[in-house]
Amino acid sequence: MKNQPDTLAQDGGAGYQQALAESWLPIRDVARVTGVNAITLRAWERRYGLIVPQRSPKGHRLFSADHVQRIHTIVTWLNRGVAVSQVKPLLDTPQAFSTAVENEWKILRQKLTQAISQLAEREVDDLINQAMSLYPPRTLCEQLLMPLLGELEQRWQGQFGARMEQRFFHGWLRSKLGARLYHNNRQLRGAPLLLINHSDLPLEPQLWLAAWLISSTDCPVEVFDGPLPAGELALAVEHLQARAVLLYSSTSINLKQLTKLLHNVSCPTLIAGPTVCIHHTELSVSTTDCADLLLAKDPLAAHQMLLARGLI
């Protein structure tokens, strides 16, 4: 890039505008391009020195194409399971990667499990808030929250107090992510994605993970935490002018009722959750004539599929 910090400092606002004209990016645009929000980018700079942007005379952060590429590289390492505290040396010496970095994620999951077992809401909140400030949503789901939910499900098999812990954590997760969705929806415009809990089980944690992942792409999300009867799904799509529908289910479903439910739905539909594994063959066969029906086994796959199809 042609512009350097001494050039930016010459004349205040004019220097800032010149930098933008020469392809430097403000933090909001970098967040949109990379999928890493501004809070996380600031934390990476302040706490770990992972990314050091230019500054305008008024303190505005400005990022070059090299900065953006570095952020993409950081996200790649995070998605491989590397803790953010261990990324910096890998940016220059990637051969130093070791599976030992998994230990930090494991330790964090252990801390969360202990806090959940004690119904320590503030501790759970503090641990998750810290992680949310350091990692993009997809990385956090893949490396922390989905493995944590799997470990908790195993822990809760036949254990005294299991239902208590489950109700506590699932309720907390819904409140936490629901608040994020509400905040994001207030800032966003455009057609929402309609996400429906089709399993009729309350507090489905992976449904809320899917909602949060989708919302993090600057897509409004409307969540119905319970099934709709045949006919009313099409009505909801019409009222909301929804860009797509995601039906989440972790249980067996009635395929004949599903066909009736999807009748007259005028936008792409994605079915996600364990029900896709349960009914994979039947769903694949019965939906071959429906080009707009997609299948995904979990929130990460649903998020990726929606991105690939340009729906979010």
Side-chain angles (χ1 to χ4, degrees):
M1 312 297 290
K2 292 185 290 184
N3 211 358
Q4 297 299 322
D6 57 335
T7 309
L8 292 180
Q10 287 176 1
D11 56 353
Y16 179 69
Q17 294 303 319
Q18 180 185 350
L20 297 182
E22 294 183 1
S23 299
W24 291 82
L25 295 175
I27 196 167
R28 65 178 180 275
D29 289 347
V30 174
R32 176 179 53 80
V33 168
T34 64
V36 181
N37 65 46
I39 293 173
T40 299
L41 290 172
R42 295 187 192 103
W44 287 357
E45 175 190 357
R46 184 175 63 254
R47 297 183 61 176
Y48 302 106
L50 289 176
I51 207 82
V52 183
Q54 305 284 18
R55 293 296 188 111
S56 75
K58 294 185 178 181
H60 298 296
R61 291 171 172 84
L62 291 166
F63 297 77
S64 68
D66 289 341
H67 288 133
V68 172
Q69 182 55 51
R70 187 175 176 91
I71 292 167
H72 284 306
T73 303
I74 292 168
V75 171
T76 297
W77 283 115
L78 296 178
N79 288 340
R80 292 180 65 183
V82 179
V84 68
S85 61
Q86 298 187 9
V87 165
K88 192 171 184 179
L90 298 175
L91 296 176
D92 300 317
T93 56
Q95 66 274 17
F97 174 73
S98 168
T99 55
V101 298
E102 164 65 13
N103 289 340
E104 290 204 20
W105 289 112
K106 184 176 181 180
I107 290 169
L108 181 53
R109 292 197 298 268
Q110 289 172 342
K111 288 181 179 179
L112 281 166
T113 299
Q114 179 68 17
I116 292 165
S117 72
Q118 298 173 349
L119 309 186
E121 182 175 8
R122 180 167 295 183
E123 185 176 354
V124 172
D125 204 51
D126 288 345
L127 289 168
I128 294 293
N129 282 343
Q130 182 178 16
M132 283 181 165
S133 73
L134 295 175
Y135 295 97
R138 185 175 177 89
T139 301
L140 205 58
C141 283
E142 188 168 14
Q143 302 297 336
L144 177 64
L145 294 173
M146 289 183 62
L148 175 66
L149 287 169
E151 291 170 4
L152 288 172
E153 287 300 327
Q154 291 184 10
R155 169 184 169 83
W156 291 335
Q157 295 300 315
Q159 175 179 296
F160 179 71
R163 185 58 59 87
M164 173 191 72
E165 292 182 15
Q166 184 184 60
R167 291 288 185 254
F168 163 76
F169 184 60
H170 286 182
W172 175 87
L173 190 66
R174 175 184 175 177
S175 296
K176 183 71 173 181
L177 300 184
R180 293 274 172 141
L181 259 65
Y182 173 80
H183 174 77
N184 288 351
N185 283 346
R186 295 282 292 180
Q187 311 300 317
L188 299 171
R189 295 290 184 269
L193 182 140
L194 176 57
L195 197 161
I196 297 175
N197 180 358
H198 193 63
S199 66
D200 207 17
L201 294 175
L203 306 175
E204 285 275 26
Q206 293 203 19
L207 174 143
W208 290 98
L209 290 184
W212 178 48
L213 283 173
I214 294 164
S215 177
S216 72
T217 64
D218 291 339
C219 172
V221 179
E222 188 71 38
V223 178
F224 289 1
D225 200 359
L228 290 178
E232 292 193 15
L233 175 57
L235 183 64
V237 168
E238 180 183 350
H239 284 331
L240 293 170
Q241 293 295 294
R243 67 177 72 190
V245 171
L246 193 161
L247 297 176
Y248 180 88
S249 178
S250 61
T251 59
S252 178
I253 58 176
N254 185 308
L255 297 179
K256 289 184 179 180
Q257 290 180 359
L258 177 65
T259 301
K260 292 181 180 179
L261 180 68
L262 298 181
H263 184 63
N264 288 333
V265 171
S266 58
C267 64
T269 302
L270 190 152
I271 301 175
T275 194
V276 171
C277 297
I278 297 171
H279 295 289
H280 186 269
T281 301
E282 299 96 318
L283 284 169
S284 298
V285 171
S286 64
T287 61
T288 51
D289 59 341
C290 184
D292 283 339
L293 185 62
L294 309 170
L295 305 176
K297 64 179 182 179
D298 59 34
L300 291 168
H303 175 249
Q304 189 60 43
M305 189 170 291
L306 291 167
L307 282 172
R309 298 299 180 99
L311 295 171
I312 58 175

